[in-house]
Amino acid sequence: MSFDDFDKKPKSRFSGSWLASVVIAALVGSGTTVVLVPELIKSNIIKLPQVTQTWSNSGNPVSVTPVSVNTDIVKAVNKVKPAVLTVVNLQKVRGFFGSPEQEAGKGSGVLLDNQGHIVTNNHVVNGASDVQVVINNENVPAKVLGVDAFTDLAVLQVPADKVKDIQPVQLGDSNALQTGEPAIAIGNPLGEFDQTVTVGVISAKNRTIPLQDSKGQVIYEQTVLQTDAAINPGNSGGALINIAGQLVGINSAKIATQGVEGLGFAIPIDEAKPIIDQLITNHKVTRPALGVSIQGEVASIPASYKAGLPINYGVVVGDVASGSSAAKAGIKSGDILAKIDDTQINTFLDLRKYLFSKKPGDTVQMTLYRDNKPQTVKVQLGELQN
């Protein structure tokens, strides 16, 4: 069979006038379209892609259509990025010509409101003789309103007119975060790459990391969010945000050990906010105090030294400050503090963390052991002197 055999099929019963009608209708339609299309485009009813013409190596034109990407992550970043600022730590150095100030380091900070309040880490401004914040390429002097070493937080303030064109960050709910949801870190890594964005997930909640004083002694255990979004030196004090562009954490630390990747930490905003509020209002954080030093932990005492002691937990009281809450309650050196209210105390950090959940003036019940015998005392907590 050849292709010519198709011409031998019976002709359609429709007359040739049908085809002519179609052709005429098409021509009329095309004519109408030719008239209407320019007007539809001008009225933005029909949208055409923007086409950019470039030239290949061979000299032939190549059409490129740009792609507009506006994902939720991009929206969140654009919403928050202007509020993440560079914080400069200036310190005086001794020299032949007096004590000029030099830049000791840079970190990040987040604009909280239109009054110019900025939150950052305590270690970003620690030791500074002066602090500056880079706003629109201008180094603006900042006042350190207050710092808190126990949570590694600090609040600065710059003149309100310097931030009038910047939208402050919106606070989120860190307690509502779920492991695996997107986490976006914005900061100033290495003090050079301002408003750098890295993206990961919330790797875990309620982690704890030790905080040390200037002597290297652990003074507190900070509850943190863990994320695999890259956090590098200079990111400290920057923003960890959720997909809605809300601040859920203050970037604080990372584990920088060979072979370890993706272990960054941020202070949850729900824990940071009460501290921030106190630093803005009172310029310090008010915490309760018991008035004792701790010699050690019962669990680490050799068995020969605790014969007859019915428990293997608690902490051993060292010095008791004269006139302190502990002294007034009759607590003595050598007593073993085992419980506060119904909370068992295993370490000095357990004791401090429970006390810090209270306020000065609160009354707690303490279970202690003296001469291997239990007794309970009520203690009205005093105020910790920073």
Side-chain angles (χ1 to χ4, degrees), residues 280-343:
I280 290 174
T281 304
N282 305 320
H283 308 319
K284 66 176 185 177
V285 178
T286 302
R287 290 191 173 92
L290 187 58
V292 301
S293 65
I294 300 300
Q295 284 186 345
E297 301 166 3
V298 171
S300 62
I301 299 175
S304 58
Y305 285 90
K306 54 184 178 182
L309 184 66
I311 59 172
N312 193 38
Y313 58 88
V315 293
V316 183
V317 175
D319 294 330
V320 179
S322 177
S324 66
S325 298
K328 292 175 182 177
I331 296 174
K332 298 180 180 180
S333 177
D335 286 347
I336 294 172
L337 302 183
K339 288 184 179 180
I340 305 182
D341 296 328
D342 293 324
T343 300

Short mmCIF file of all heavy atoms in Angstrom, two decimals, residues 280-343:
data_model
loop_
_atom_site.label_atom_id
_atom_site.label_comp_id
_atom_site.label_asym_id
_atom_site.label_seq_id
_atom_site.Cartn_x
_atom_site.Cartn_y
_atom_site.Cartn_z
N ILE A 280 16.22 46.21 79.85
CA ILE A 280 15.71 47.49 79.34
C ILE A 280 15.17 48.35 80.48
O ILE A 280 15.44 49.55 80.57
CB ILE A 280 14.62 47.25 78.28
CG1 ILE A 280 15.23 46.66 77.00
CG2 ILE A 280 13.89 48.56 77.95
CD1 ILE A 280 14.21 46.27 75.94
N THR A 281 14.42 47.71 81.39
CA THR A 281 13.74 48.47 82.45
C THR A 281 14.66 48.81 83.61
O THR A 281 14.71 49.95 84.08
CB THR A 281 12.53 47.66 82.97
OG1 THR A 281 11.67 47.35 81.88
CG2 THR A 281 11.76 48.46 84.02
N ASN A 282 15.42 47.80 84.11
CA ASN A 282 16.21 47.98 85.33
C ASN A 282 17.71 48.04 85.07
O ASN A 282 18.48 48.27 86.00
CB ASN A 282 15.93 46.83 86.31
CG ASN A 282 14.46 46.69 86.63
OD1 ASN A 282 13.76 47.69 86.79
ND2 ASN A 282 13.98 45.46 86.72
N HIS A 283 18.12 47.75 83.82
CA HIS A 283 19.54 47.72 83.44
C HIS A 283 20.31 46.60 84.13
O HIS A 283 21.55 46.59 84.13
CB HIS A 283 20.22 49.06 83.69
CG HIS A 283 19.50 50.23 83.09
ND1 HIS A 283 18.93 50.19 81.83
CD2 HIS A 283 19.25 51.48 83.57
CE1 HIS A 283 18.37 51.35 81.55
NE2 HIS A 283 18.54 52.14 82.59
N LYS A 284 19.60 45.69 84.76
CA LYS A 284 20.22 44.51 85.37
C LYS A 284 19.13 43.45 85.54
O LYS A 284 17.94 43.73 85.39
CB LYS A 284 20.83 44.84 86.73
CG LYS A 284 19.82 45.23 87.79
CD LYS A 284 20.50 45.43 89.14
CE LYS A 284 19.47 45.69 90.24
NZ LYS A 284 20.10 45.82 91.58
N VAL A 285 19.55 42.24 85.84
CA VAL A 285 18.61 41.14 86.10
C VAL A 285 18.63 40.85 87.59
O VAL A 285 19.69 40.63 88.18
CB VAL A 285 18.99 39.88 85.29
CG1 VAL A 285 18.03 38.74 85.61
CG2 VAL A 285 18.97 40.19 83.80
N THR A 286 17.46 40.88 88.19
CA THR A 286 17.34 40.61 89.62
C THR A 286 17.08 39.13 89.83
O THR A 286 16.12 38.59 89.28
CB THR A 286 16.19 41.43 90.23
OG1 THR A 286 16.44 42.82 89.99
CG2 THR A 286 16.07 41.20 91.72
N ARG A 287 17.95 38.50 90.63
CA ARG A 287 17.82 37.07 90.90
C ARG A 287 17.93 36.81 92.40
O ARG A 287 18.56 37.58 93.13
CB ARG A 287 18.90 36.28 90.16
CG ARG A 287 18.72 36.25 88.63
CD ARG A 287 19.65 35.23 88.03
NE ARG A 287 19.41 35.07 86.60
CZ ARG A 287 20.02 35.75 85.65
NH1 ARG A 287 20.92 36.66 85.99
NH2 ARG A 287 19.77 35.55 84.38
N PRO A 288 17.35 35.70 92.83
CA PRO A 288 17.41 35.38 94.26
C PRO A 288 18.76 34.78 94.65
O PRO A 288 19.49 34.26 93.81
CB PRO A 288 16.30 34.35 94.44
CG PRO A 288 16.18 33.69 93.11
CD PRO A 288 16.51 34.74 92.09
N ALA A 289 19.07 34.86 95.96
CA ALA A 289 20.32 34.30 96.47
C ALA A 289 20.06 33.58 97.78
O ALA A 289 19.17 33.96 98.55
CB ALA A 289 21.35 35.40 96.68
N LEU A 290 20.83 32.52 98.00
CA LEU A 290 20.73 31.75 99.24
C LEU A 290 21.79 32.21 100.24
O LEU A 290 21.55 32.25 101.45
CB LEU A 290 20.90 30.26 98.93
CG LEU A 290 20.67 29.26 100.05
CD1 LEU A 290 19.26 29.39 100.63
CD2 LEU A 290 20.90 27.84 99.54
N GLY A 291 22.96 32.57 99.74
CA GLY A 291 24.02 33.07 100.61
C GLY A 291 24.98 32.01 101.10
O GLY A 291 25.51 32.11 102.21
N VAL A 292 25.22 30.98 100.27
CA VAL A 292 26.16 29.93 100.66
C VAL A 292 27.11 29.65 99.50
O VAL A 292 26.80 29.92 98.35
CB VAL A 292 25.44 28.61 101.05
CG1 VAL A 292 24.47 28.84 102.20
CG2 VAL A 292 24.72 28.01 99.84
N SER A 293 28.27 29.11 99.83
CA SER A 293 29.15 28.53 98.82
C SER A 293 29.00 27.02 98.90
O SER A 293 28.55 26.48 99.92
CB SER A 293 30.61 28.95 99.04
OG SER A 293 31.09 28.40 100.26
N ILE A 294 29.37 26.34 97.83
CA ILE A 294 29.22 24.88 97.78
C ILE A 294 30.60 24.22 97.70
O ILE A 294 31.43 24.57 96.85
CB ILE A 294 28.35 24.47 96.57
CG1 ILE A 294 26.97 25.09 96.67
CG2 ILE A 294 28.26 22.95 96.48
CD1 ILE A 294 26.18 24.69 97.91
N GLN A 295 30.84 23.26 98.61
CA GLN A 295 32.13 22.56 98.66
C GLN A 295 32.23 21.46 97.61
O GLN A 295 33.30 21.22 97.05
CB GLN A 295 32.34 21.93 100.04
CG GLN A 295 32.73 22.91 101.12
CD GLN A 295 33.06 22.21 102.44
OE1 GLN A 295 32.74 21.03 102.61
NE2 GLN A 295 33.69 22.92 103.36
N GLY A 296 31.13 20.76 97.36
CA GLY A 296 31.18 19.65 96.42
C GLY A 296 29.85 18.94 96.36
O GLY A 296 28.85 19.37 96.96
N GLU A 297 29.84 17.84 95.63
CA GLU A 297 28.63 17.04 95.43
C GLU A 297 28.74 15.73 96.18
O GLU A 297 29.81 15.10 96.20
CB GLU A 297 28.42 16.79 93.94
CG GLU A 297 28.29 18.07 93.13
CD GLU A 297 28.43 17.84 91.64
OE1 GLU A 297 28.57 16.66 91.23
OE2 GLU A 297 28.41 18.83 90.89
N VAL A 298 27.65 15.31 96.77
CA VAL A 298 27.65 14.08 97.56
C VAL A 298 28.05 12.88 96.70
O VAL A 298 28.80 12.00 97.15
CB VAL A 298 26.26 13.84 98.19
CG1 VAL A 298 26.17 12.45 98.82
CG2 VAL A 298 25.97 14.92 99.24
N ALA A 299 27.60 12.83 95.47
CA ALA A 299 27.87 11.68 94.60
C ALA A 299 29.36 11.47 94.36
O ALA A 299 29.79 10.36 94.06
CB ALA A 299 27.14 11.85 93.27
N SER A 300 30.15 12.54 94.50
CA SER A 300 31.59 12.42 94.22
C SER A 300 32.42 12.23 95.49
O SER A 300 33.65 12.12 95.42
CB SER A 300 32.08 13.67 93.48
OG SER A 300 31.90 14.83 94.27
N ILE A 301 31.77 12.20 96.65
CA ILE A 301 32.49 12.01 97.91
C ILE A 301 32.79 10.52 98.11
O ILE A 301 31.92 9.68 97.92
CB ILE A 301 31.66 12.53 99.10
CG1 ILE A 301 31.40 14.04 98.95
CG2 ILE A 301 32.35 12.25 100.43
CD1 ILE A 301 30.48 14.60 100.01
N PRO A 302 34.02 10.15 98.48
CA PRO A 302 34.34 8.74 98.74
C PRO A 302 33.41 8.14 99.80
O PRO A 302 33.01 8.83 100.75
CB PRO A 302 35.78 8.79 99.24
CG PRO A 302 36.34 10.05 98.68
CD PRO A 302 35.21 11.02 98.65
N ALA A 303 33.06 6.89 99.62
CA ALA A 303 32.10 6.23 100.51
C ALA A 303 32.53 6.27 101.97
O ALA A 303 31.70 6.37 102.88
CB ALA A 303 31.89 4.79 100.05
N SER A 304 33.86 6.22 102.21
CA SER A 304 34.35 6.20 103.59
C SER A 304 34.04 7.50 104.34
O SER A 304 34.03 7.53 105.57
CB SER A 304 35.85 5.95 103.60
OG SER A 304 36.53 6.94 102.85
N TYR A 305 33.79 8.57 103.57
CA TYR A 305 33.53 9.86 104.20
C TYR A 305 32.03 10.13 104.39
O TYR A 305 31.66 11.16 104.96
CB TYR A 305 34.12 11.00 103.36
CG TYR A 305 35.62 11.09 103.47
CD1 TYR A 305 36.44 10.38 102.60
CD2 TYR A 305 36.22 11.86 104.45
CE1 TYR A 305 37.82 10.45 102.70
CE2 TYR A 305 37.60 11.94 104.57
CZ TYR A 305 38.40 11.24 103.68
OH TYR A 305 39.77 11.30 103.80
N LYS A 306 31.19 9.27 103.88
CA LYS A 306 29.75 9.50 104.03
C LYS A 306 29.05 8.26 104.61
O LYS A 306 27.90 7.98 104.29
CB LYS A 306 29.13 9.89 102.69
CG LYS A 306 29.40 8.93 101.53
CD LYS A 306 28.82 9.47 100.24
CE LYS A 306 29.12 8.55 99.06
NZ LYS A 306 28.62 9.07 97.79
N ALA A 307 29.76 7.55 105.46
CA ALA A 307 29.17 6.38 106.11
C ALA A 307 27.97 6.79 106.94
O ALA A 307 28.02 7.76 107.71
CB ALA A 307 30.21 5.70 107.00
N GLY A 308 26.88 6.08 106.74
CA GLY A 308 25.66 6.36 107.48
C GLY A 308 24.75 7.36 106.81
O GLY A 308 23.60 7.54 107.23
N LEU A 309 25.23 8.05 105.77
CA LEU A 309 24.38 9.01 105.06
C LEU A 309 23.39 8.22 104.19
O LEU A 309 23.81 7.43 103.33
CB LEU A 309 25.24 9.93 104.18
CG LEU A 309 24.48 11.05 103.45
CD1 LEU A 309 23.90 12.05 104.45
CD2 LEU A 309 25.42 11.75 102.46
N PRO A 310 22.11 8.41 104.37
CA PRO A 310 21.12 7.58 103.67
C PRO A 310 20.86 7.98 102.21
O PRO A 310 20.06 7.33 101.55
CB PRO A 310 19.86 7.77 104.52
CG PRO A 310 20.02 9.11 105.13
CD PRO A 310 21.48 9.31 105.36
N ILE A 311 21.49 9.01 101.73
CA ILE A 311 21.27 9.45 100.35
C ILE A 311 22.61 9.53 99.61
O ILE A 311 23.67 9.66 100.23
CB ILE A 311 20.57 10.82 100.28
CG1 ILE A 311 21.40 11.88 101.01
CG2 ILE A 311 19.15 10.75 100.85
CD1 ILE A 311 20.89 13.29 100.84
N ASN A 312 22.54 9.46 98.28
CA ASN A 312 23.73 9.60 97.46
C ASN A 312 23.58 10.77 96.49
O ASN A 312 24.08 10.76 95.38
CB ASN A 312 24.01 8.31 96.67
CG ASN A 312 25.41 8.32 96.05
OD1 ASN A 312 26.36 8.81 96.68
ND2 ASN A 312 25.54 7.81 94.83
N TYR A 313 22.86 11.78 96.92
CA TYR A 313 22.70 13.00 96.12
C TYR A 313 22.73 14.18 97.08
O TYR A 313 22.74 14.04 98.31
CB TYR A 313 21.40 12.97 95.32
CG TYR A 313 20.14 12.82 96.16
CD1 TYR A 313 19.49 13.94 96.68
CD2 TYR A 313 19.61 11.57 96.45
CE1 TYR A 313 18.35 13.81 97.46
CE2 TYR A 313 18.46 11.43 97.21
CZ TYR A 313 17.84 12.56 97.72
OH TYR A 313 16.70 12.43 98.49
N GLY A 314 22.75 15.39 96.51
CA GLY A 314 22.82 16.60 97.31
C GLY A 314 24.16 17.29 97.15
O GLY A 314 25.08 16.75 96.51
N VAL A 315 24.27 18.49 97.72
CA VAL A 315 25.51 19.26 97.68
C VAL A 315 25.90 19.65 99.10
O VAL A 315 25.04 19.83 99.97
CB VAL A 315 25.36 20.52 96.78
CG1 VAL A 315 25.19 20.13 95.33
CG2 VAL A 315 24.21 21.40 97.25
N VAL A 316 27.20 19.79 99.32
CA VAL A 316 27.72 20.08 100.66
C VAL A 316 27.95 21.58 100.80
O VAL A 316 28.63 22.21 99.97
CB VAL A 316 29.05 19.33 100.90
CG1 VAL A 316 29.55 19.60 102.33
CG2 VAL A 316 28.89 17.85 100.65
N VAL A 317 27.37 22.15 101.84
CA VAL A 317 27.50 23.58 102.08
C VAL A 317 28.90 23.91 102.57
O VAL A 317 29.45 23.23 103.45
CB VAL A 317 26.46 24.04 103.13
CG1 VAL A 317 26.67 25.53 103.48
CG2 VAL A 317 25.05 23.81 102.61
N GLY A 318 29.48 24.97 101.98
CA GLY A 318 30.77 25.47 102.43
C GLY A 318 30.55 26.63 103.39
O GLY A 318 29.99 26.47 104.47
N ASP A 319 30.95 27.82 102.95
CA ASP A 319 30.76 29.01 103.79
C ASP A 319 29.31 29.48 103.74
O ASP A 319 28.64 29.38 102.71
CB ASP A 319 31.68 30.14 103.33
CG ASP A 319 33.15 29.81 103.52
OD1 ASP A 319 33.46 29.05 104.47
OD2 ASP A 319 33.98 30.28 102.71
N VAL A 320 28.86 30.02 104.87
CA VAL A 320 27.53 30.64 104.95
C VAL A 320 27.74 32.12 105.27
O VAL A 320 28.35 32.46 106.30
CB VAL A 320 26.67 29.98 106.05
CG1 VAL A 320 25.30 30.65 106.13
CG2 VAL A 320 26.52 28.48 105.78
N ALA A 321 27.26 32.98 104.36
CA ALA A 321 27.47 34.42 104.53
C ALA A 321 26.69 34.94 105.74
O ALA A 321 25.52 34.60 105.93
CB ALA A 321 27.05 35.16 103.27
N SER A 322 27.36 35.76 106.54
CA SER A 322 26.71 36.34 107.71
C SER A 322 25.53 37.22 107.28
O SER A 322 25.65 38.04 106.37
CB SER A 322 27.72 37.18 108.49
OG SER A 322 27.11 37.81 109.59
N GLY A 323 24.40 37.03 107.94
CA GLY A 323 23.22 37.82 107.64
C GLY A 323 22.47 37.39 106.40
O GLY A 323 21.48 38.02 106.01
N SER A 324 22.93 36.32 105.73
CA SER A 324 22.27 35.86 104.50
C SER A 324 20.99 35.10 104.81
O SER A 324 20.68 34.80 105.98
CB SER A 324 23.22 34.94 103.72
OG SER A 324 23.45 33.74 104.45
N SER A 325 20.24 34.79 103.77
CA SER A 325 19.00 34.03 103.92
C SER A 325 19.28 32.68 104.56
O SER A 325 18.51 32.22 105.42
CB SER A 325 18.34 33.83 102.55
OG SER A 325 18.01 35.06 101.97
N ALA A 326 20.37 32.02 104.15
CA ALA A 326 20.71 30.71 104.69
C ALA A 326 21.04 30.82 106.18
O ALA A 326 20.62 29.98 106.99
CB ALA A 326 21.88 30.12 103.92
N ALA A 327 21.80 31.86 106.55
CA ALA A 327 22.18 32.03 107.96
C ALA A 327 20.94 32.27 108.82
O ALA A 327 20.82 31.71 109.92
CB ALA A 327 23.16 33.19 108.08
N LYS A 328 20.03 33.08 108.33
CA LYS A 328 18.81 33.37 109.08
C LYS A 328 17.95 32.11 109.25
O LYS A 328 17.21 32.00 110.23
CB LYS A 328 18.00 34.45 108.37
CG LYS A 328 18.67 35.82 108.39
CD LYS A 328 17.88 36.83 107.57
CE LYS A 328 18.59 38.20 107.56
NZ LYS A 328 17.87 39.17 106.71
N ALA A 329 18.05 31.18 108.28
CA ALA A 329 17.26 29.94 108.37
C ALA A 329 17.95 28.87 109.18
O ALA A 329 17.39 27.79 109.39
CB ALA A 329 16.96 29.42 106.96
N GLY A 330 19.19 29.15 109.63
CA GLY A 330 19.90 28.19 110.46
C GLY A 330 20.74 27.18 109.71
O GLY A 330 21.22 26.20 110.29
N ILE A 331 20.96 27.40 108.42
CA ILE A 331 21.80 26.49 107.64
C ILE A 331 23.26 26.72 108.03
O ILE A 331 23.71 27.86 108.20
CB ILE A 331 21.58 26.73 106.13
CG1 ILE A 331 20.14 26.39 105.75
CG2 ILE A 331 22.56 25.90 105.29
CD1 ILE A 331 19.78 26.72 104.30
N LYS A 332 24.03 25.62 108.15
CA LYS A 332 25.41 25.70 108.61
C LYS A 332 26.37 25.05 107.62
O LYS A 332 25.97 24.22 106.79
CB LYS A 332 25.56 25.00 109.97
CG LYS A 332 24.73 25.63 111.09
CD LYS A 332 24.93 24.87 112.40
CE LYS A 332 24.12 25.49 113.53
NZ LYS A 332 24.32 24.76 114.82
N SER A 333 27.62 25.42 107.74
CA SER A 333 28.66 24.80 106.94
C SER A 333 28.71 23.30 107.25
O SER A 333 28.66 22.89 108.41
CB SER A 333 30.02 25.44 107.25
OG SER A 333 31.04 24.80 106.52
N GLY A 334 28.81 22.48 106.19
CA GLY A 334 28.83 21.03 106.35
C GLY A 334 27.47 20.39 106.15
O GLY A 334 27.38 19.16 105.96
N ASP A 335 26.39 21.19 106.19
CA ASP A 335 25.07 20.64 105.90
C ASP A 335 25.01 20.16 104.45
O ASP A 335 25.70 20.69 103.57
CB ASP A 335 23.98 21.69 106.11
CG ASP A 335 23.70 21.99 107.58
OD1 ASP A 335 24.17 21.20 108.43
OD2 ASP A 335 23.02 22.99 107.87
N ILE A 336 24.18 19.15 104.22
CA ILE A 336 23.97 18.64 102.86
C ILE A 336 22.58 19.07 102.39
O ILE A 336 21.57 18.69 102.99
CB ILE A 336 24.10 17.11 102.82
CG1 ILE A 336 25.55 16.72 103.15
CG2 ILE A 336 23.70 16.58 101.45
CD1 ILE A 336 25.76 15.24 103.31
N LEU A 337 22.55 19.91 101.35
CA LEU A 337 21.29 20.35 100.78
C LEU A 337 20.83 19.30 99.78
O LEU A 337 21.49 19.07 98.77
CB LEU A 337 21.45 21.71 100.10
CG LEU A 337 21.95 22.87 100.99
CD1 LEU A 337 22.00 24.16 100.19
CD2 LEU A 337 21.09 23.02 102.22
N ALA A 338 19.69 18.67 100.07
CA ALA A 338 19.24 17.54 99.25
C ALA A 338 18.08 17.91 98.32
O ALA A 338 18.02 17.42 97.19
CB ALA A 338 18.81 16.39 100.15
N LYS A 339 17.17 18.76 98.81
CA LYS A 339 16.01 19.13 98.00
C LYS A 339 15.63 20.58 98.26
O LYS A 339 15.82 21.10 99.36
CB LYS A 339 14.81 18.24 98.32
CG LYS A 339 14.90 16.82 97.83
CD LYS A 339 13.60 16.06 98.12
CE LYS A 339 13.64 14.63 97.61
NZ LYS A 339 12.37 13.91 97.89
N ILE A 340 15.08 21.21 97.21
CA ILE A 340 14.39 22.49 97.38
C ILE A 340 12.96 22.26 96.95
O ILE A 340 12.72 21.84 95.80
CB ILE A 340 15.02 23.61 96.55
CG1 ILE A 340 16.49 23.76 96.86
CG2 ILE A 340 14.30 24.93 96.82
CD1 ILE A 340 17.15 24.89 96.10
N ASP A 341 12.03 22.49 97.85
CA ASP A 341 10.64 22.12 97.62
C ASP A 341 10.63 20.62 97.28
O ASP A 341 11.11 19.83 98.06
CB ASP A 341 10.00 23.01 96.56
CG ASP A 341 9.94 24.47 97.01
OD1 ASP A 341 9.78 24.70 98.22
OD2 ASP A 341 10.05 25.37 96.15
N ASP A 342 10.15 20.25 96.11
CA ASP A 342 10.13 18.83 95.76
C ASP A 342 11.19 18.47 94.72
O ASP A 342 11.16 17.37 94.15
CB ASP A 342 8.75 18.44 95.23
CG ASP A 342 7.66 18.52 96.30
OD1 ASP A 342 7.97 18.20 97.46
OD2 ASP A 342 6.54 18.93 95.97
N THR A 343 12.11 19.37 94.47
CA THR A 343 13.13 19.15 93.44
C THR A 343 14.43 18.64 94.04
O THR A 343 15.02 19.28 94.92
CB THR A 343 13.41 20.46 92.66
OG1 THR A 343 12.19 20.89 92.04
CG2 THR A 343 14.47 20.24 91.60
#
